[in-house]
């Protein structure tokens, strides 16, 4: 299936002015409205931010069986190999987003995931067990207004940190893999218990979907809960964090990621503090 056809139309359908959809994110049921128009059969129907819905808000209904079972990133694959830096972010004790440990006491995630009362679990493939836990003591938002943020944790974690990419490490055509604990059903229900990933390539490195500039063409769709999760190049460099996906997902393999290589100076200065 070609996912590049109608790229201009689907980007037009994902206006940067679209309302954020926080599908029962954190402690709220439905937090905002959806917007966007479908301009062609290949146009994505909506642009949405994708923090996680509470596990208790799972739904059943017509066609739900299609999405049962281990179908990570609404397609994609279940992770089997360790990802030492992968981080589950919790808000008020409930899973809310995916993140990455980038130094002994700093975690990189999406700015729209930032709230209060955060804790993290680092290094486990399981969303609710294992790894090492810590409390977030400070949130630092990238100052230009991008969907990128750093979270300071209350203790050093000695593990293999994510290797941050440099400007020029990601462009249209770059092969990549993304990770997250997002929803496994098209309607953004049923969070994955086990870390999942999808892989493919960047089809547009300047797409500007809600500020994110890396649009992906993968074997799984980004969904709620994948927000803040890492995008890695083929040689393992972290070059993006998850900002947006379609709700409902449509089997197109779409995801929109913020290019963190644009903010390397700020990241380096912050984590050095």
């Amino acid at each position: 299936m070609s996912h590049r056809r109608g790229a201009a139309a689907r980007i037009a359908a994902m206006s940067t002015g679209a309302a954020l959809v926080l599908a029962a994110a954190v402690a709220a049921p439905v937090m905002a409205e959806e917007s966007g128009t479908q301009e062609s059969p290949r146009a994505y129907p909506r642009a949405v931010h994708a923090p996680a819905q509470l596990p208790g808000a799972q739904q059943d209904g017509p066609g739900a069986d299609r999405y049962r079972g281990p179908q990570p990133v609404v397609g994609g694959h279940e992770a089997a190999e360790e990802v030492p830096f992968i981080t589950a972010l919790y808000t008020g004790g409930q899973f809310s987003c995916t993140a990455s440990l980038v130094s002994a006491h700093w975690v990189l995630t999406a700015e729209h995931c930032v709230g209060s009362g955060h804790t993290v679990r680092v290094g486990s493939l399981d969303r609710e067990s294992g790894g090492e836990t810590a409390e977030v003591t400070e949130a630092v938002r990238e100052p230009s207004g991008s969907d990128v943020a750093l979270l300071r944790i209350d203790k050093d974690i000695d593990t293999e940190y994510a290797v941050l990419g440099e400007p020029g490490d990601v462009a249209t055509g770059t092969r990549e893999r993304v990770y997250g604990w997002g929803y496994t059903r098209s309607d953004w229900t049923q969070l994955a218990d086990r870390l999942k990933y999808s892989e493919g390539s960047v089809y547009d490195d300047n797409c500007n979907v809600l500020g994110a500039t890396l649009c992906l063409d993968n074997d799984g769709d980004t969904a709620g809960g994948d927000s803040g999760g890492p995008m890695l190049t083929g040689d393992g460099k972290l070059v993006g964090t998850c900002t947006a996906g379609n709700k409902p997902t449509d089997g197109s393999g779409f995801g929109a990621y913020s290019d963190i290589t644009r903010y390397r100076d700020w990241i380096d200065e912050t984590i050095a503090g």
Side-chain angles (χ1 to χ4, degrees), residues 72-242:
V73 202
V74 196
H77 317 274
E78 192 170 283
E81 298 179 357
E82 290 186 0
V83 186
F85 57 83
I86 200 67
T87 302
L89 179 65
Y90 306 86
T91 306
Q94 296 284 350
F95 172 76
S96 55
C97 283
T98 305
S100 303
L101 187 71
V102 294
S103 76
H105 56 272
W106 286 99
V107 167
L108 180 70
T109 192
E111 190 278 336
H112 75 261
C113 292
V114 175
S116 59
H118 291 307
T119 56
V120 298
R121 183 185 307 278
V122 179
S124 177
L125 298 182
D126 296 318
R127 176 167 52 86
E128 297 292 342
S129 64
E132 192 164 352
T133 59
E135 294 186 4
V136 173
T137 60
E138 181 184 7
V140 184
R141 293 169 169 84
E142 195 281 314
S144 73
S146 71
D147 190 33
V148 177
L150 285 161
L151 306 176
R152 185 195 292 269
I153 55 178
D154 65 351
K155 64 181 182 182
D156 288 357
I157 295 181
D158 184 14
T159 188
E160 181 181 335
Y161 313 128
V163 177
L164 296 172
E166 302 280 353
D169 282 341
V170 61
T172 299
T174 297
R175 297 292 299 176
E176 43 70 25
R177 174 180 288 192
V178 300
Y179 288 94
W181 281 281
Y183 291 118
T184 61
R185 297 182 181 179
S186 177
D187 63 352
W188 285 24
T189 57
Q190 191 167 311
L191 288 169
D193 294 322
R194 188 83 167 175
L195 184 70
K196 64 274 171 57
Y197 69 93
S198 71
E199 51 192 2
S201 62
V202 177
Y203 74 78
D204 189 344
D205 65 3
N206 196 32
C207 57
N208 193 16
V209 177
L210 296 174
T213 58
L214 301 175
C215 285
L216 311 186
D217 181 357
N218 278 16
D219 60 3
D221 291 42
T222 292
D226 295 322
S227 280
M231 182 178 83
L232 307 179
T233 60
D235 57 357
K237 293 180 181 179
L238 196 165
V239 293
T241 54
C242 179

Side-chain angles (χ1 to χ4, degrees), residues 2-110:
S2 172
H3 306 309
R4 295 174 178 80
R5 205 169 359 144
R10 59 187 170 186
I11 296 307
M14 291 189 222
S15 163
T16 55
L20 308 187
V21 171
L22 311 184
V26 190
V30 176
M31 204 167 160
E33 63 185 12
E34 299 174 1
S35 67
T37 58
Q38 186 167 347
E39 297 187 358
S40 78
R42 290 297 302 158
Y44 288 106
R46 300 174 182 87
V48 292
H49 269 229
Q53 184 174 358
L54 290 177
Q58 297 168 3
Q59 301 175 12
D60 291 291
D65 286 342
R66 176 183 175 189
Y67 305 105
R68 293 190 190 282
Q71 298 183 335
V73 202
V74 196
H77 317 274
E78 192 170 283
E81 298 179 357
E82 290 186 0
V83 186
F85 57 83
I86 200 67
T87 302
L89 179 65
Y90 306 86
T91 306
Q94 296 284 350
F95 172 76
S96 55
C97 283
T98 305
S100 303
L101 187 71
V102 294
S103 76
H105 56 272
W106 286 99
V107 167
L108 180 70
T109 192

